[in-house]
Amino acid sequence: MADWKLEFDHLSKRYGDVQALRDASFDVRAGELFGFVGSNGAGKTTAMRIALGVLAADSGEVRWGGAPINLETRRHIGYMPEERGLYPKMKVGEQLVYLARLHGLSTTAAQREVEAWTERLGVAARRDDEVQKLSLGNQQRVQLAAALVHNPSILVLDEPFSGLDPVAVDVMSKVLLEKAAEGIPVVFSSHQLDLVERLCHRVGIIRSGQMVAVGTVDELRAGATVRLVVDAPRAGADWADALPGVTLCGWEGSKVVLELDHGADDQLVLQTALATGPVREFTRRQPSLTELFRNVVTENDEEEAAA
């Protein structure tokens, strides 16, 4: 199964007048952390629920290892819903054992895994507490334990970092990286784009049900506009105004942030800055995933408006 991947192939789904997914396709490779990002209502949860069989696609299918996902396959998926799916009045330990047994583990194996995962995720002391008595952060930890307790072959996690404190985020991050290192395909959605950028091997951006970009962060950056940060303390406020293909984006203290059109000459910018006096900083600034996301979504809005 080392070369198996989870494929979302041309998924479409409509709810009445709302087109939740529009021919959406992407894949999550074995041993890969895939960040699935988009605005609220973009279609992330719908795609994940189709993979779990909670929803049926109007067209398209989800495959694992080249075969359509079926009931047996779904027993090997670890799923973490955005809305917590735990029984609030059931004790943590009893609930996790019950969920593990639903996935085929014996009682003894289930108890062993529950002990291991509650220890790892920092909620071992709460095993005899009802879920409703836990803090939201601890409920999130228990929900992750529920996704992991049956040793899944695929992980599908909807906003797993929501509501977690920084320590819990670090614990969750390490667990997901370890699972990917074991060869498991891991897909998770998140609005914390700095975290997605730091953890994920590849990223998929969905907008209005359509996949508008898929690739590594470096691949997504390849077509982005170049920005320069220049610190030329003796230059006036308008020293770069006449440079072709250069736009002033703003100031950061004495530093000016410039945006260069494709083909604009950064060496001409440097020469012009040096002509004013010493240059203390001249660096290219790579756009963050947040900026890439904003640019991709804005570009597609403009294209739709033009169409």
Side-chain angles (χ1 to χ4, degrees):
M1 287 192 248
D3 59 345
W4 284 19
K5 60 185 176 181
L6 181 65
E7 298 173 276
F8 295 76
D9 188 19
H10 296 286
L11 295 183
S12 292
K13 178 68 178 177
R14 177 182 289 276
Y15 302 102
D17 294 333
V18 178
Q19 187 75 43
L21 290 174
R22 304 168 185 261
D23 199 36
S25 294
F26 63 97
D27 63 65
V28 186
R29 299 159 188 169
E32 177 178 63
L33 273 173
F34 186 93
F36 194 23
V37 302
S39 305
N40 290 329
K44 303 184 299 295
T45 296
T46 296
M48 291 181 170
R49 287 178 175 173
I50 289 172
L52 268 292
V54 177
L55 294 173
D58 296 336
S59 61
E61 65 180 5
V62 182
R63 296 188 298 271
W64 185 50
I69 284 185
N70 55 28
L71 181 59
E72 178 58 30
T73 308
R74 291 187 180 103
R75 294 182 67 180
H76 299 281
I77 298 177
Y79 176 53
M80 186 173 179
E82 180 178 9
E83 299 297 331
R84 293 176 182 87
L86 301 170
Y87 300 108
K89 295 185 178 181
M90 196 171 181
K91 292 181 179 179
V92 168
E94 293 174 355
Q95 181 161 183
L96 292 175
V97 168
Y98 170 71
L99 294 172
R101 294 205 63 202
L102 285 180
H103 283 87
L105 270 66
S106 67
T107 300
T108 301
Q111 290 172 340
R112 182 174 61 247
E113 292 298 327
V114 168
E115 289 176 6
W117 280 112
T118 51
E119 286 283 354
R120 176 74 190 276
L121 297 173
V123 287
R126 314 306 298 270
R127 283 200 291 258
D128 292 328
D129 292 347
E130 294 178 357
V131 169
Q132 64 184 356
K133 295 181 180 179
L134 303 183
S135 67
L136 293 179
N138 278 339
Q139 287 184 33
Q140 193 79 335
R141 293 179 191 227
V142 173
Q143 188 77 71
L144 178 61
L148 294 166
V149 73
H150 58 288
N151 295 315
S153 301
I154 307 167
L155 280 175
V156 178
L157 312 173
D158 201 352
E159 293 291 341
F161 295 97
S162 177
L164 294 183
D165 60 60
V167 173
V169 167
D170 288 344
V171 172
M172 175 101 57
S173 299
K174 289 178 183 177
V175 169
L176 298 189
L177 287 167
E178 287 173 10
K179 287 298 172 183
E182 292 172 11
I184 292 174
V186 181
V187 54
F188 73 89
S189 66
S190 180
H191 291 297
Q192 295 165 261
L193 298 187
D194 56 333
L195 194 58
V196 174
E197 181 174 359
R198 177 164 58 87
L199 290 178
C200 291
H201 302 96
R202 288 190 306 138
V203 177
I205 300 176
I206 188 169
R207 179 192 172 280
S208 300
Q210 292 179 297
M211 297 302 296
V212 293
V214 178
T216 66
V217 174
D218 284 342
E219 287 170 346
L220 298 183
R221 283 185 179 127
T225 304
V226 174
R227 287 195 174 186
L228 292 176
V229 179
V230 185
D231 188 0
R234 294 183 187 173
D238 57 354
W239 67 270
D241 286 355
L243 294 172
V246 178
T247 304
L248 172 65
C249 293
W251 290 82
E252 297 176 357
S254 64
K255 302 176 184 179
V256 63
V257 182
L258 304 173
E259 189 170 272
L260 274 62
D261 293 343
H262 293 295
D265 187 356
D266 59 352
Q267 293 306 300
L268 178 59
V269 177
L270 177 59
Q271 292 168 14
T272 305
L274 285 168
T276 70
V279 175
R280 297 190 297 199
E281 181 178 349
F282 185 85
T283 56
R284 282 178 174 252
R285 174 176 291 175
Q286 291 188 314
S288 66
L289 181 58
T290 299
E291 292 170 320
L292 292 171
F293 174 78
R294 187 181 298 117
N295 292 341
V296 167
V297 171
T298 300
E299 286 172 6
N300 280 270
D301 280 339
E302 291 172 351
E303 289 173 4
E304 279 196 4

